[in-house]
Amino acid sequence: MDKLQAEDARYLKRKVKRGSLDVHPTEKALVVQYEVEATILGEMGDPMVGERKECQKIIRLKSLNANTDIATLARRVVEECRLIHPSELPEVEQLLFYLQNRKKPDKQEKHSPRDLTPFEGMELDEEANINSIDDYVELLYEDIPEKVRGATLILHLARNPDNLEELLQNETALGALARVLREDWKQSVDMATTIIYVFFCFSSFSQFHGLVTHYKIGALCMNITEHELKRYDLWQDELQKKKKACEEDPDNQNVKKEHEKALKKYQGLLSKQEQLLQVALYLLLNLAEDTRTELKMRNKNIVHMLVKTLDREDEELLVLVVSFLKKLSIFLENKNDMAETYAVEKLARLLACDHENLLNTTLRLLLNLSFDTGLRSQMVQAGLIPKLSSLLADEKQGQLCMCILYHISVDDRFKSMFAYTDCIPQLMKMLFECGESHMDPELISFCINLAANKRNAQLICEGTTHRHTHTHTHTPNAVLLYLGNGLKMLMKRGLKLKDVLIMKMIRNLSQHDGPTKNLFIDYVGDLAAQIGAEEREEYVIECLGTLANLTIPDLDWELVLKEYNLVPYLKDHLNPGSAEDDLILEVVIMIGTVSMDDSCAATMAKSGIIPALIELLNAQQEDDEFVCQIVYVFYQMVFHQATRDVIIKDTQAPAYLIDLMHDKNAEIRKVCNSTLDIIAEYDKECERKIQSEKFRWHNAQWLEMVENRAMGDDGEPSMFGDDGEPFMHSGDILERPDLFYTAADGTISPEFFTDYQNGDIGQAGGFPGSMNMDMFGQSTVTPGQRPATAYGIRPDAQFFYSYTGAASR
């Protein structure tokens, strides 16, 4: 058509049809829609070829402001634009009035995360036309200003997704853009930003990622980003030098002016650099959809670059950087890089920002990182606990904060720190506001973890807040949300709704010695009433576990057992297979608690519970937790005369305890040895058996050598000494003093062994380290102290049901 038009203009007929007149959605401009119909006529005037194209004209109103005369401006628009008929003057005035009074849209709502804010330098006086693409490419071969202009025109085309397919076919244009960027990006920040923006438009669609990769734009963006970050460091150093010189000589006006000039220049350079970084990092973020490409970025230290960029102040750039880090953080290697670069410390300062999107993205990144133990430690060191606690009341960010704090509370080292913030009062308020409705699992799980700490438990039960003088942990105007009713309100909800998780929290509260435990005396009856076959097992486990924790001397357990008829229930549930192991174990622990009372212990012995415990011990001998708690029951019962006689004379309990004396589990050995020591004090026969077994165990290697020291002529071990007497006969080994001392040479005397048995050695001049050990090196348990668990302290293990106070969930 253009060729025919050039040869003879008489053969071309154009027809323009006006469409709508409207305002530009973002700019102060009018948009005129129109349609052009071009027809090529033959020599006889008949139409041969026709083309129809929809177009729009944007009339930018740069002079429009609050003081503009709308009527005058409207007449001028109608006069200069032939597409608008004079009869439409009232409509133009109305649109101009709307533009004059329209509020600026919110930046945060205006651009989606995948879009970029138009930056300075993108404005053009002319309208870009896809048909003139070749002319724009020609500009890329000129000087820098023309290159910038040509790239900007192509960018205007690329920002319209409809043009991307056509630009994709123009390899010359794309190749020229890539070449100019590769060769001249250091000469002009505006040019580099504009060309990268063109490729960013392609990277916004996955089907065009191959094109961007083909021209190696991603690698080039990595190099540009690294270079710009180094330039930023140089600018900072230079600015600091000038600032220092100004401070050293404040009266020197030349130095002061030089510093002001440098600062102004720095701010201008920084603004353009951050535009470049924003475009380049957005492009890399789009390309990182492919995990293979992301791995290449990681190998080129993308995480270190992003963490370094967190020092900037531009909020839009920070949103991008934090979003990129959040995407990377799901992979272990990237998470480790963030730990090495102390990203948490830099993220902590962003929690004080007012930018809602930036705050939300930062919290999501911190949530991803909080799954790592080491990074949780960094969060605590960076002071995140009080900062996150202050955001719990925020409707939009509160849930994220609670999840992060929940992860931190899993670690026992950090539980006590929550007592010095307003976190607990806020959580209790949220808890009670739920009423009888469903409770968020994160909320109650967080409360369960906090209740495992003694100081937190006091705050929860007694309803007091703690004010700390340090500015970072002090929340102004802390409201006293509840006072003295914490435990009462929890009990009310837990018992009324049969809420297992609330009861688990209550159980954690009950494990702490001191005033907190005494508060439970008022609720013993309510808890005991829940113990029955008609209730859910998991609910009974928590109620029974709470009662088992109440090792209160003044509590009349005999009355509780009789009033609620608990003895038959406890005995029935000692039978292996009668219930789930968790419930049976809680029954054993409960028996150990009530056995502290003399009359209760006698009641238990008369009911036949001791044989049931021995049977259970046989059935669960491979389960260290069961063995440890059953032995503890025996330990409690041997304190009382009635039950001690039953255990020693009527059961095989001492024999089992002797067998367990050298168990591989340290906790079992401690409780077992303490129990045997008490039995030995009251029964001489058991004492001799226990001493003999301890002697055999302690001297096993030496005894084996003695048994085999005499060899016969045939080379076989002789079982007899020189006098024909056997070394190992049926008598008690302790009656053979020749086996453990020799009077002739005086190496070990009977007096030495007597002192050793009596524990006199280990006082002044005794064996080092024997002060808290029994006669054969076994550590002892304080009377009345239940073993924490058969496994000791295992911070890496988390129990859903803990037997002496729930561990972190």
Side-chain angles (χ1 to χ4, degrees), residues 674-690:
S674 298
T675 308
L676 289 172
D677 288 344
I678 298 172
I679 292 175
E681 290 181 13
Y682 292 94
D683 190 278
K684 295 300 179 183
E685 184 180 349
C686 286
E687 180 184 15
R688 296 184 64 81
K689 290 181 181 179
I690 293 166

Side-chain angles (χ1 to χ4, degrees), residues 237-252:
D237 292 341
E238 188 66 25
L239 196 61
Q240 286 298 322
K241 289 179 183 178
K242 295 185 180 299
K243 183 179 179 181
K244 186 177 180 181
C246 187
E247 291 174 350
E248 291 175 353
D249 190 5
D251 298 330
N252 192 328

